[in-house]
Amino acid sequence: MTRHTLTLSAEKLQLGMFVADLDRSWEGTPFPLQGVLMRDPSEVNYLRQACRHVVVDVDRSTVDLVGYRADLGRLPLDGPLEHAGRDTARFRFGQWIRNWCATIAGALRRRHVVDRQPPTGVASTPAHIELVNRSIRAGRKPARFRFGQWMRNWWERMVVALHARHLVGRRPLTRLAGMPTDIELVTYRDTKSFDEAIGPARETCREIEETMKNVMGNLTDNREIEADLLNMAASELVASVAANPEAMMWLTRMREQNERTYKHSVEVAIYMVTFGRHLGYPPDHLKKLCMTGLLLDVGMTQLDNAMLEKAGPLSESERAAIRQHVDYGLQMLANVPGLDADVREAIAEHHERLDGSGYPLGLKGIDTSFAGRMVAIVDTFAALTSHRPYAEPLSAFNAMKILSEGAGKIFHEPLVEQFVQAIGLFPVGSLVELSSGEVAAVVSHNKIRRLKPRVLVLTDANKSPLTAPHELNLLVDPDDNDDEPLRIWRGLPAGAHGVNSRDYFLN
């Protein structure tokens, strides 16, 4: 059997298109099976960012693609697949069952709507429409409609469970080009759930922030770094992230963003360890990444604080002065006992860029270390999503978009893609607006459907704060006010709609 397909630029992807294949592996994407109908704007946005081209199945799309007929081709979709291990009988059967469930659920939904139409010959008045909408929101749905929803949710859970079993023990860790060959890659699995990890992570977060506050204070007073204390804090952070990275990411986004320098350093360290864990770095190398994040901005302590907190644009001389923080930091770290040379190298390079436009040396391409390329990405992301004196924070999604636009130009493209996979388009702790209009914070990701996370709902649809925030798991598709599956509508920057995440941090 052949199906009508067309290959489109990912930028042309629209709701209602059925994506049959990507220009990259499906593994590592938020989609549990090969092939997905675009029903969610966040899924469309994800593929626009992750891919250059996609293959669309015309026959299974729900929108008219007549405007794309010039690109129409015939490609066999039931032959061997490009990526080994995807085309298992279990997953072909799963795909068929999922489509069947969607068809049945859709039919039940249509019958439900038909049953609520006014008698033949009677106009659908606004009053009748409002009556229908009120009855739907009130939950007065016939048994067959509730069964259709139950079936859809049940199969979603089954797909995730089957896919998780399929991944256990078979996901190969890819050694990216340029990754040091002496690193023996490690596959990590969460040893604690989010709920189990959050308590210990909270204590670790407090301790490491207190440690970094003392470190920065000592450096400001020209005292030495307490290397043993810093090493101990780094080891505890690595252990926490190795057990479950989402707990620590949640905490770093929930904390108040004062003492910007050391808070930024802790945030970078957490993302660096999470990133390294995703790539398969062993614990000793994760500690190096952690130390890089913690110490990358120590040179800032030698700069005038009024200049760092300046709200307006910097003069050329002020920009030149701030760029010196890299050299200042390296001088301060030169005699720290036990500090690995790889850490110093990555710190020296965290403002270098692929095209040579960075500082302090204007290094290009492979002249920078792999860890230096990693920390350039992470440092930029953490800065873009945080409060800065001269700029409002961006949503995580928009920050990822900037990284993606710079991929292959100023940032290492494969690493940008892996960073997006490591923390998601909507990272844990980030604010999002749901399709219901409510504002929520992402609590933890569902490992297979990363665009369907657990969220903490913080406001009502009118953006008024809730006195009792509540959790929702978007994976089971609770309905919004229009009786459609609840989903993430868009990402929000920190502080959007007056929502202060610190108010919801549990001390």
Side-chain angles (χ1 to χ4, degrees), residues 188 190 236-246 248-249 269-275 277 286:
Y188 292 90
D190 293 351
E236 291 177 356
L237 189 152
V238 168
S240 177
V241 173
N244 187 311
E246 293 181 336
M248 193 62 76
M249 284 196 292
I270 291 171
Y271 284 133
M272 282 292 284
V273 177
T274 301
F275 195 6
R277 181 188 191 269
L286 292 183

Side-chain angles (χ1 to χ4, degrees), residues 378-439:
V378 174
D379 179 55
T380 300
F381 175 80
L384 290 173
T385 55
S386 299
H387 288 281
R388 294 166 288 168
Y390 53 88
E392 291 297 316
L394 298 180
S395 68
F397 181 84
N398 286 334
M400 288 295 187
K401 186 176 181 180
I402 289 176
L403 291 178
S404 297
E405 290 171 349
K409 302 171 187 174
I410 61 175
F411 300 116
H412 188 58
E413 187 169 11
L415 277 175
V416 171
E417 179 181 332
Q418 291 299 316
F419 182 63
V420 173
Q421 291 185 28
I423 71 169
L425 284 176
F426 305 107
V428 170
S430 62
L431 290 181
V432 295
E433 183 176 349
L434 304 179
S435 55
S436 60
E438 298 162 307
V439 174

Side-chain angles (χ1 to χ4, degrees), residues 53-325:
H53 297 90
V54 295
V55 177
V56 174
D57 186 331
V58 177
D59 301 321
R60 300 169 76 180
S61 296
T62 60
V63 292
D64 187 3
L65 301 179
V66 65
Y68 300 96
R69 292 298 177 182
D71 302 316
L72 188 60
R74 289 180 176 271
L75 296 176
L77 298 186
D78 54 351
L81 295 175
E82 178 184 353
H83 305 290
R86 278 192 345 220
D87 193 25
T88 61
R90 175 174 68 201
F91 278 83
R92 289 197 302 272
F93 175 72
Q95 183 73 65
W96 179 85
I97 288 292
R98 186 178 68 169
N99 293 338
W100 177 81
C101 286
T103 300
I104 296 299
L108 291 173
R109 183 182 291 271
R110 286 191 295 272
R111 287 191 62 186
H112 173 60
V113 172
V114 169
D115 286 349
R116 292 184 177 274
Q117 298 304 310
T120 302
V122 178
S124 295
T125 64
H128 177 270
I129 293 173
E130 176 58 26
L131 179 62
V132 169
N133 289 336
R134 281 205 307 269
S135 66
I136 290 175
R137 288 194 291 268
R140 294 192 291 274
K141 306 169 185 176
R144 64 173 176 271
F145 184 80
R146 293 195 301 270
F147 175 73
Q149 287 186 311
W150 174 87
M151 182 171 59
R152 181 185 66 193
N153 295 339
W154 171 81
W155 181 246
E156 189 76 26
R157 293 189 185 95
M158 289 294 294
V159 165
V160 171
L162 286 170
H163 191 65
R165 287 189 61 189
H166 181 58
L167 287 179
V168 170
R170 72 168 290 275
R171 176 183 177 265
L173 287 169
T174 302
R175 185 180 296 276
L176 297 183
M179 184 183 290
T181 56
D182 61 334
I183 295 179
E184 185 176 347
L185 302 185
V186 176
T187 299
Y188 292 90
R189 296 183 179 87
D190 293 351
T191 57
K192 294 182 179 179
S193 68
F194 178 88
D195 295 331
E196 293 169 335
I198 191 66
R202 182 180 296 115
E203 187 62 31
T204 298
C205 189
R206 286 177 178 148
E207 290 175 0
I208 201 164
E209 287 185 350
E210 188 63 31
T211 296
M212 287 307 299
K213 186 176 182 179
N214 292 335
V215 165
M216 293 298 183
N218 289 343
L219 290 174
T220 301
D221 297 335
N222 296 316
R223 295 199 296 267
E224 293 183 353
I225 292 176
E226 298 182 60
D228 291 342
L229 191 61
L230 192 61
N231 268 297
M232 185 181 302
S235 296
E236 291 177 356
L237 189 152
V238 168
S240 177
V241 173
N244 187 311
E246 293 181 336
M248 193 62 76
M249 284 196 292
W250 165 263
L251 293 173
T252 195
R253 300 304 301 168
M254 290 294 104
R255 298 303 292 244
E256 186 175 11
Q257 297 293 312
N258 289 337
E259 290 95 2
R260 190 170 61 88
T261 297
Y262 84 80
K263 294 280 187 179
H264 174 75
S265 298
V266 172
E267 186 173 1
V268 172
I270 291 171
Y271 284 133
M272 282 292 284
V273 177
T274 301
F275 195 6
R277 181 188 191 269
H278 172 79
L279 294 176
Y281 275 55
D284 58 331
H285 284 80
L286 292 183
K287 187 174 178 181
K288 293 181 185 180
L289 298 179
C290 181
M291 294 292 284
T292 299
L294 292 176
L295 298 174
L296 85 170
D297 276 345
V298 293
M300 290 288 191
T301 60
Q302 304 303 302
L303 301 178
D304 182 3
N305 193 60
M307 182 172 58
L308 295 178
E309 297 300 326
K310 183 177 179 180
L314 298 175
S315 66
E316 186 59 37
S317 61
E318 288 171 329
R319 283 196 294 270
I322 285 181
R323 289 185 174 189
Q324 290 184 327
H325 82 274

